[in-house]
Amino acid sequence: MAAAAAETLGQQRVGFVGAGRMAEAIARGLIRAGKVEAQNVLASAPTDRNLCLFQALGCQTTHANREVLQSCTLVFFATKPHVLPDVLLEVAPVVTAEHILVSVAAGVPLRTMEELLPPSTRVLRLSPNLPCVVQEGAMVLSRGRWAGVSEAEFVRSLLVACGRCEEVPETYMDIHTGLSGSGVAFVCTFSEALAEGAIKMGMPSDLAHRIAAQTLLGTAKLLLQESRHPAQLRTDVCTPGGTTIYGLHTLEQGGLRAAAMGAVEAATNRARELSKK
């Protein structure tokens, strides 16, 4: 079912309720990968401020949320979390058994969405991160009670156009926020620190930041493409008495591991707190 749906999606319509940067990133990925044609994407937002992003892609736009549901069976909800409940109540009268609804709003659980929508509505929850903007996102997807394996696989097969997408239990959502959502900032801080170390040793700033970023990119590709544990790759680089072991010793003295683990823990706990509000 998922494969057949994916093959025909290019001629179907995909909707976005909310037209911010993350919604535009997902739409851009689907269009670039040929998963859907630009003219078959319809996005809604209260004002024209963000709709121009979709218009630049060649998509259709509207100010009416219900129009999106009436025109599209696959709809992504990318509103602010505190706005989503009111939006769901607004569109609920036009939701049908044909719809597959995917929420990108952080902190709004599946059960809340299901309570606000007609019985048996197929709802999924998606947690993306900022690199979706360049189609290198890390996303996790969870199914509601009435969304089956085929619906989850269908949505996941589309979202690989925006990066890596894996189905997980909903309890992992807040952990993903701490690891990958907030993790973008953690990695940027480390990249900045690497570059500043090179600057301290005499390398020009622009060059140092480019090399640091490329080092992170290349290392990530090695880890993913070779399916290796980070410790294995680290061992390959770390020769006895060489430069790397001296640098690693300094990192250990600075408590890098504990600090990184603590950062993910703190961000996850904060995500859980926000989810309860």
Side-chain angles (χ1 to χ4, degrees), residues 1-2 124 143 146-156 167:
M1 173 181 173
L124 300 100
R143 290 185 276 134
W146 294 287
V149 174
S150 60
E151 285 84 9
E153 178 57 26
F154 170 52
V155 174
R156 195 195 66 78
E167 185 181 354

Side-chain angles (χ1 to χ4, degrees), residues 33-95:
K35 301 286 188 178
V36 64
E37 296 178 3
Q39 65 266 27
N40 290 333
V41 174
L42 176 63
S44 66
T47 68
D48 290 330
R49 186 182 66 176
N50 289 332
L51 290 177
C52 62
L53 299 173
F54 279 82
Q55 292 164 356
L57 291 173
C59 303
Q60 304 297 309
T61 61
T62 178
H63 295 302
N65 293 332
R66 285 193 182 187
E67 183 181 343
V68 177
L69 277 292
Q70 290 167 332
S71 301
C72 310
T73 54
L74 174 61
V75 179
F76 290 87
F77 287 83
T79 67
K80 298 290 186 183
H82 70 278
V83 173
L84 182 61
D86 288 338
V87 170
L88 293 177
L89 286 173
E90 175 194 350
V91 303
V94 295
V95 172

Side-chain angles (χ1 to χ4, degrees), residues 91-184:
V91 303
V94 295
V95 172
T96 71
E98 300 300 315
H99 282 104
I100 298 176
L101 308 182
V102 184
S103 170
V104 187
V108 182
L110 288 163
R111 67 176 183 276
T112 298
M113 292 183 277
E114 290 171 338
E115 289 170 357
L116 297 171
L117 293 165
S120 302
T121 300
R122 294 178 293 177
V123 178
L124 300 100
R125 183 178 168 193
L126 175 69
S127 178
N129 70 346
L130 186 59
C132 285
V133 173
V134 291
Q135 285 73 61
E136 289 292 352
M139 299 163 281
V140 293
L141 182 73
S142 296
R143 290 185 276 134
R145 283 180 290 173
W146 294 287
V149 174
S150 60
E151 285 84 9
E153 178 57 26
F154 170 52
V155 174
R156 195 195 66 78
S157 69
L158 299 177
L159 290 171
V160 294
C162 304
R164 178 175 293 264
C165 183
E166 302 197 20
E167 185 181 354
V168 300
E170 189 179 17
T171 52
Y172 291 1
M173 284 285 172
D174 290 333
I175 303 173
H176 178 266
T177 298
L179 170 63
S180 189
S182 300
V184 173

